[in-house]
Amino acid sequence: MAHHSDSSSSMVRLNIGGRKFCTTLDTLTQREPDSMLAAMFSGRHTICQESEKGHIFVDRDGKHFRHILNWLRDGVIPPLKDSEYAQLLREAEYYQLLGLVDGIKSALSKRKEDEELGTELTRIDIIKCIQSDRVRFRGINLSGLDLSKLDLSFVDFSYACLKTVFFSRANLQCAKFRDVDAEASIFHNATLRECEFTGANLRGAVLAGANLQSANLQDACLIGCSFCGADLRSAHLQTADLTNANLEGANLEGANLKGAKLTNANLKGANLQRAYLRHVNLRDTHLEGAKLDGANLLGAIR
């Protein structure tokens, strides 16, 4: 055990959960003088110092400690993902850095406001629009809107940003979603018959129970999508990326899956009768209980 008695400008070496940092007493004590860090290095407390190179050990995750040091040096909140802000907030609360805690909460609040402002139309705006004969939302940002249970048939959403939009039980028959970004959107039990999804990004979207009969999903990014119990009869899925997709119990009868990526896809209990699976790699898929009667498997890898 060692008692710290160096001057305020002296060097301090820290070991935060195995990650090494080097700073000064001024940095640790001046911006947030009432924090735990300031108290630790005030000279009033005995602190644990390693024998090798004199690092002071703190039993916390050091992943975000550099952001804490930069805050203490410059008073700047780093631009991070929401999940990383949550981790940094826990560390700031542990070290009792109240200024940093307030700064993170303000940054998250501002981000939420910016996202709301970024949405160009509201649900009420959409309802008013669809009452007209021909509706186009091409290239518009509709992120995060609740469009559930609306009749959106024949609407053109091409090139729009539809991230996390809620389409559950909506009627989207013959709607166009060409090259949209609809990552993590929810289409649970939606009617999507004959929809155009060519080149769309639907990564992580929920399409469980959706009616996608004859829908065109060619070249679409469907990584991690949920199609549990979905109706994909005669759907066009050529060269679509279905890596890690969940198609358990889905009806893919007569669907065209030529060139589709099915790595680690779950096809348990799926109906693949008369499906077109030529040259598709089925080796890493889960096909327990799947029906393959009459499927075209010429050149398929099993």
Side-chain angles (χ1 to χ4, degrees):
M1 304 292 282
H3 186 74
H4 206 294
S5 59
D6 293 345
S7 66
S8 63
S9 62
S10 64
M11 194 78 72
V12 179
R13 292 182 175 84
L14 299 169
N15 179 349
I16 312 296
R19 299 193 184 198
K20 305 294 178 66
F21 299 90
C22 190
T23 186
T24 67
L25 277 179
D26 281 346
T27 296
L28 294 169
T29 59
Q30 286 191 355
R31 184 173 298 280
E32 300 252 21
D34 298 322
S35 69
M36 179 190 291
L37 279 175
M40 286 172 64
F41 295 96
S42 65
R44 301 189 302 271
H45 301 279
T46 300
I47 50 182
C48 178
Q49 195 167 22
E50 298 174 339
S51 58
E52 183 184 353
K53 294 184 179 179
H55 282 89
I56 296 162
F57 179 74
V58 181
D59 189 14
R60 295 294 294 180
D61 189 345
K63 178 181 178 182
H64 296 297
F65 195 75
R66 67 185 181 90
H67 297 311
I68 288 173
L69 287 180
N70 287 334
W71 159 257
L72 292 172
R73 290 167 182 145
D74 308 316
V76 176
I77 303 296
L80 301 172
K81 297 177 181 178
D82 287 0
S83 59
E84 292 176 322
Y85 270 139
Q87 295 167 8
L88 181 58
L89 184 61
R90 282 197 296 272
E91 296 306 301
E93 289 172 341
Y94 173 79
Y95 293 115
Q96 298 174 14
L97 298 165
L98 301 184
L100 179 56
V101 169
D102 290 342
I104 294 169
K105 289 180 178 178
S106 294
L108 286 169
S109 178
K110 185 178 184 303
R111 179 173 292 177
K112 186 177 180 181
E113 289 175 5
D114 290 345
E115 287 175 353
E116 289 173 353
L117 289 172
T119 301
E120 299 173 49
L121 295 172
T122 66
R123 178 182 171 90
I124 292 175
D125 292 331
I126 301 294
I127 292 171
K128 289 178 180 177
C129 288
I130 61 179
Q131 291 171 351
S132 60
D133 293 335
R134 190 172 182 179
V135 186
R136 290 184 180 179
F137 297 121
R138 293 170 68 92
I140 292 178
N141 181 7
L142 302 174
S143 300
L145 285 183
D146 179 2
L147 301 180
S148 59
K149 302 179 182 179
L150 295 180
D151 184 359
L152 298 164
S153 53
F154 297 94
V155 172
D156 189 351
F157 292 99
S158 299
Y159 314 107
C161 184
L162 303 172
K163 285 187 176 182
T164 66
V165 172
F166 199 65
F167 285 109
S168 288
R169 300 185 185 278
N171 180 11
L172 292 153
Q173 185 169 343
C174 298
K176 293 182 180 178
F177 292 89
R178 187 178 183 85
D179 291 310
V180 300
D181 186 355
E183 187 171 350
S185 289
I186 299 176
F187 295 87
H188 188 260
N189 288 330
T191 300
L192 294 152
R193 289 187 63 174
E194 300 177 42
C195 270
E196 170 67 55
F197 279 103
T198 303
N201 174 20
L202 289 160
R203 181 188 288 261
V206 177
L207 294 116
N211 183 346
L212 286 149
Q213 191 172 345
S214 301
N216 188 351
L217 291 145
Q218 188 170 347
D219 297 320
C221 175
L222 305 171
I223 297 171
C225 284
S226 173
F227 290 96
C228 291
D231 186 350
L232 286 153
R233 285 176 292 171
S234 302
H236 303 277
L237 290 153
Q238 301 97 305
T239 63
D241 191 345
L242 286 151
T243 302
N244 295 321
N246 188 355
L247 291 139
E248 186 169 356
N251 190 350
L252 289 145
E253 184 176 352
N256 188 346
L257 288 144
K258 182 180 179 181
K261 294 180 182 178
L262 291 166
T263 306
N264 203 36
N266 180 6
L267 287 157
K268 293 178 180 178
N271 181 6
L272 289 157
Q273 292 176 307
R274 293 181 295 283
Y276 195 90
L277 293 159
R278 293 186 67 172
H279 304 293
V280 174
N281 187 350
L282 297 168
R283 183 170 293 166
D284 297 320
T285 60
H286 306 282
L287 285 162
E288 294 89 337
K291 299 176 182 177
L292 290 160
D293 302 344
N296 189 333
L297 292 162
L298 185 64
I301 301 172
R302 298 183 66 185

